[in-house]
Amino acid sequence: MSTPETACETVAVAKPDGLSRIGLIVPSSNTTMETELPELFRRQSEATGHRYTFHSARAGMKNVNKEELLAMVAKAADCASSVSDADVDTIAYACLVAVMAQGANAHVDSEAAIARAAQENGHPAAVTSSAGALVRTLQEMGARKVAMVTPYMKPLTQMVREYIEGAGIEVLEAVSLEVPDNLAVGRLDPQNLPEIARNLQREGADAIVLSACVQMPSLPAVQAVENELGLPVITAATATAYEILKSLGHTPAISNAGSLLSGELSKLPARVE
């Protein structure tokens, strides 16, 4: 049996009635991914007429520490099997730091394991992860230097920084908001992000990662920060949405969520080295 391919290698076939089903694997305490992604795809539907539904499986995780994150990883394959029962077209593993806690380039093995579980369950699907999506999207954008904001404690932020830098992207500054409780992360006010972004060390930056966490709300601030600072702004959630669209073969047409999802970045000329 061949090994299932990841979202960047496989194009899933949309349902014949103009409907795509999106599977999510999220931490049990996540309250943001199931609000921001449906809102993004609602805007995509407004622009294109295509419809999207979301179907979630939850893996236990309350506190954002390495022990609970690694325990969550062990549950990913079971979650993939259960969510694939909904005959989803694509699956997104929506916990960035759980994957990055496993070490450099861990998203490759995580995505392959999830794809394998779905295939063995009889419902193969394209697969992405928020960790892989963030790294690959930055690479596709040609971003060599970034500044980022995380809600994590400083040791976890440093781990995320090293993971991104291991992919060849320099992190000029990584701000830690130091919120260990995952429910509390979901209650952070995204309206505070513009001021935080203004104070980032961003000289020479090619992009800003406004939220390196799918649980930290950021969608209401993405376009405002991009407009103010004149740099592309992405988040773990918008990068994941971008890769979901790619896996479905759909062109991004999402308004008010940054140039990545509006489709504007794809119209820019290739950067000359």
mmCIF file of all heavy atoms in Angstrom, residues 80-101:
data_model
loop_
_atom_site.group_PDB
_atom_site.id
_atom_site.type_symbol
_atom_site.label_atom_id
_atom_site.label_comp_id
_atom_site.label_asym_id
_atom_site.label_seq_id
_atom_site.Cartn_x
_atom_site.Cartn_y
_atom_site.Cartn_z
ATOM 1 N N ALA A 80 -7.809 11.106 13.828
ATOM 2 C CA ALA A 80 -7.895 11.099 12.373
ATOM 3 C C ALA A 80 -8.863 10.034 11.887
ATOM 4 O O ALA A 80 -9.653 10.260 10.962
ATOM 5 C CB ALA A 80 -6.507 10.869 11.773
ATOM 6 N N SER A 81 -8.822 8.872 12.522
ATOM 7 C CA SER A 81 -9.751 7.805 12.138
ATOM 8 C C SER A 81 -11.187 8.221 12.373
ATOM 9 O O SER A 81 -12.052 8.027 11.513
ATOM 10 C CB SER A 81 -9.441 6.532 12.929
ATOM 11 O OG SER A 81 -8.190 5.993 12.552
ATOM 12 N N SER A 82 -11.460 8.829 13.537
ATOM 13 C CA SER A 82 -12.845 9.174 13.855
ATOM 14 C C SER A 82 -13.362 10.297 12.970
ATOM 15 O O SER A 82 -14.496 10.249 12.484
ATOM 16 C CB SER A 82 -12.986 9.543 15.333
ATOM 17 O OG SER A 82 -12.240 10.697 15.651
ATOM 18 N N VAL A 83 -12.551 11.308 12.704
ATOM 19 C CA VAL A 83 -13.038 12.416 11.890
ATOM 20 C C VAL A 83 -13.163 11.997 10.426
ATOM 21 O O VAL A 83 -14.016 12.517 9.689
ATOM 22 C CB VAL A 83 -12.142 13.661 12.056
ATOM 23 C CG1 VAL A 83 -10.870 13.577 11.207
ATOM 24 C CG2 VAL A 83 -12.899 14.934 11.707
ATOM 25 N N SER A 84 -12.364 11.018 10.008
ATOM 26 C CA SER A 84 -12.477 10.565 8.613
ATOM 27 C C SER A 84 -13.775 9.810 8.371
ATOM 28 O O SER A 84 -14.191 9.656 7.208
ATOM 29 C CB SER A 84 -11.277 9.699 8.236
ATOM 30 O OG SER A 84 -11.313 8.437 8.866
ATOM 31 N N ASP A 85 -14.431 9.346 9.432
ATOM 32 C CA ASP A 85 -15.740 8.702 9.266
ATOM 33 C C ASP A 85 -16.754 9.636 8.602
ATOM 34 O O ASP A 85 -17.740 9.179 8.021
ATOM 35 C CB ASP A 85 -16.292 8.253 10.621
ATOM 36 C CG ASP A 85 -15.648 6.964 11.123
ATOM 37 O OD1 ASP A 85 -15.041 6.247 10.309
ATOM 38 O OD2 ASP A 85 -15.754 6.685 12.329
ATOM 39 N N ALA A 86 -16.521 10.954 8.713
ATOM 40 C CA ALA A 86 -17.416 11.936 8.083
ATOM 41 C C ALA A 86 -17.106 12.095 6.591
ATOM 42 O O ALA A 86 -17.697 12.961 5.941
ATOM 43 C CB ALA A 86 -17.303 13.282 8.786
ATOM 44 N N ASP A 87 -16.204 11.271 6.066
ATOM 45 C CA ASP A 87 -15.826 11.323 4.651
ATOM 46 C C ASP A 87 -15.368 12.728 4.271
ATOM 47 O O ASP A 87 -15.810 13.318 3.280
ATOM 48 C CB ASP A 87 -16.989 10.874 3.762
ATOM 49 C CG ASP A 87 -16.543 10.606 2.318
ATOM 50 O OD1 ASP A 87 -15.352 10.310 2.117
ATOM 51 O OD2 ASP A 87 -17.388 10.707 1.413
ATOM 52 N N VAL A 88 -14.456 13.260 5.086
ATOM 53 C CA VAL A 88 -13.941 14.604 4.839
ATOM 54 C C VAL A 88 -12.977 14.586 3.661
ATOM 55 O O VAL A 88 -12.365 13.570 3.344
ATOM 56 C CB VAL A 88 -13.244 15.170 6.094
ATOM 57 C CG1 VAL A 88 -14.255 15.356 7.226
ATOM 58 C CG2 VAL A 88 -12.086 14.279 6.544
ATOM 59 N N ASP A 89 -12.858 15.724 2.993
ATOM 60 C CA ASP A 89 -11.952 15.861 1.857
ATOM 61 C C ASP A 89 -10.522 16.146 2.301
ATOM 62 O O ASP A 89 -9.564 15.802 1.606
ATOM 63 C CB ASP A 89 -12.425 17.005 0.952
ATOM 64 C CG ASP A 89 -13.793 16.730 0.370
ATOM 65 O OD1 ASP A 89 -13.913 15.773 -0.419
ATOM 66 O OD2 ASP A 89 -14.738 17.457 0.718
ATOM 67 N N THR A 90 -10.397 16.808 3.430
ATOM 68 C CA THR A 90 -9.080 17.201 3.920
ATOM 69 C C THR A 90 -9.133 17.267 5.439
ATOM 70 O O THR A 90 -10.192 17.523 6.026
ATOM 71 C CB THR A 90 -8.659 18.555 3.304
ATOM 72 O OG1 THR A 90 -7.311 18.853 3.650
ATOM 73 C CG2 THR A 90 -9.566 19.691 3.734
ATOM 74 N N ILE A 91 -7.997 17.019 6.082
ATOM 75 C CA ILE A 91 -7.902 17.037 7.543
ATOM 76 C C ILE A 91 -6.799 18.004 7.938
ATOM 77 O O ILE A 91 -5.692 17.953 7.394
ATOM 78 C CB ILE A 91 -7.586 15.640 8.113
ATOM 79 C CG1 ILE A 91 -8.701 14.646 7.780
ATOM 80 C CG2 ILE A 91 -7.379 15.707 9.624
ATOM 81 C CD1 ILE A 91 -8.369 13.203 8.158
ATOM 82 N N ALA A 92 -7.092 18.886 8.895
ATOM 83 C CA ALA A 92 -6.099 19.805 9.433
ATOM 84 C C ALA A 92 -5.833 19.460 10.891
ATOM 85 O O ALA A 92 -6.761 19.418 11.704
ATOM 86 C CB ALA A 92 -6.585 21.248 9.314
ATOM 87 N N TYR A 93 -4.591 19.199 11.202
ATOM 88 C CA TYR A 93 -4.173 18.935 12.588
ATOM 89 C C TYR A 93 -3.866 20.288 13.210
ATOM 90 O O TYR A 93 -2.823 20.885 12.972
ATOM 91 C CB TYR A 93 -2.959 18.020 12.583
ATOM 92 C CG TYR A 93 -2.463 17.586 13.943
ATOM 93 C CD1 TYR A 93 -3.273 17.626 15.075
ATOM 94 C CD2 TYR A 93 -1.160 17.108 14.091
ATOM 95 C CE1 TYR A 93 -2.807 17.213 16.304
ATOM 96 C CE2 TYR A 93 -0.685 16.687 15.326
ATOM 97 C CZ TYR A 93 -1.509 16.745 16.421
ATOM 98 O OH TYR A 93 -1.040 16.337 17.647
ATOM 99 N N ALA A 94 -4.783 20.775 14.014
ATOM 100 C CA ALA A 94 -4.765 22.172 14.434
ATOM 101 C C ALA A 94 -4.210 22.353 15.842
ATOM 102 O O ALA A 94 -4.897 22.790 16.752
ATOM 103 C CB ALA A 94 -6.175 22.760 14.344
ATOM 104 N N CYS A 95 -2.946 22.010 16.008
ATOM 105 C CA CYS A 95 -2.228 22.384 17.230
ATOM 106 C C CYS A 95 -0.761 22.523 16.872
ATOM 107 O O CYS A 95 -0.029 21.533 16.809
ATOM 108 C CB CYS A 95 -2.417 21.366 18.341
ATOM 109 S SG CYS A 95 -1.694 21.947 19.916
ATOM 110 N N LEU A 96 -0.345 23.745 16.618
ATOM 111 C CA LEU A 96 0.999 24.020 16.126
ATOM 112 C C LEU A 96 2.074 23.541 17.088
ATOM 113 O O LEU A 96 2.993 22.813 16.717
ATOM 114 C CB LEU A 96 1.135 25.520 15.850
ATOM 115 C CG LEU A 96 2.492 26.034 15.393
ATOM 116 C CD1 LEU A 96 2.332 27.075 14.308
ATOM 117 C CD2 LEU A 96 3.263 26.639 16.568
ATOM 118 N N VAL A 97 1.947 23.921 18.348
ATOM 119 C CA VAL A 97 3.048 23.660 19.276
ATOM 120 C C VAL A 97 3.132 22.182 19.661
ATOM 121 O O VAL A 97 4.211 21.687 19.994
ATOM 122 C CB VAL A 97 2.932 24.579 20.518
ATOM 123 C CG1 VAL A 97 1.819 24.122 21.444
ATOM 124 C CG2 VAL A 97 4.256 24.690 21.255
ATOM 125 N N ALA A 98 2.027 21.447 19.581
ATOM 126 C CA ALA A 98 2.084 20.008 19.873
ATOM 127 C C ALA A 98 2.979 19.295 18.885
ATOM 128 O O ALA A 98 3.701 18.355 19.243
ATOM 129 C CB ALA A 98 0.682 19.411 19.843
ATOM 130 N N VAL A 99 2.946 19.722 17.642
ATOM 131 C CA VAL A 99 3.810 19.124 16.623
ATOM 132 C C VAL A 99 5.248 19.610 16.796
ATOM 133 O O VAL A 99 6.197 18.825 16.805
ATOM 134 C CB VAL A 99 3.289 19.445 15.210
ATOM 135 C CG1 VAL A 99 4.277 18.972 14.150
ATOM 136 C CG2 VAL A 99 1.928 18.794 14.993
ATOM 137 N N MET A 100 5.417 20.915 16.972
ATOM 138 C CA MET A 100 6.766 21.458 17.075
ATOM 139 C C MET A 100 7.510 20.942 18.296
ATOM 140 O O MET A 100 8.740 20.887 18.299
ATOM 141 C CB MET A 100 6.709 22.984 17.067
ATOM 142 C CG MET A 100 6.283 23.568 15.730
ATOM 143 S SD MET A 100 6.443 25.368 15.676
ATOM 144 C CE MET A 100 5.961 25.709 13.975
ATOM 145 N N ALA A 101 6.782 20.546 19.338
ATOM 146 C CA ALA A 101 7.414 20.010 20.545
ATOM 147 C C ALA A 101 8.127 18.687 20.293
ATOM 148 O O ALA A 101 8.947 18.248 21.094
ATOM 149 C CB ALA A 101 6.370 19.824 21.647
#
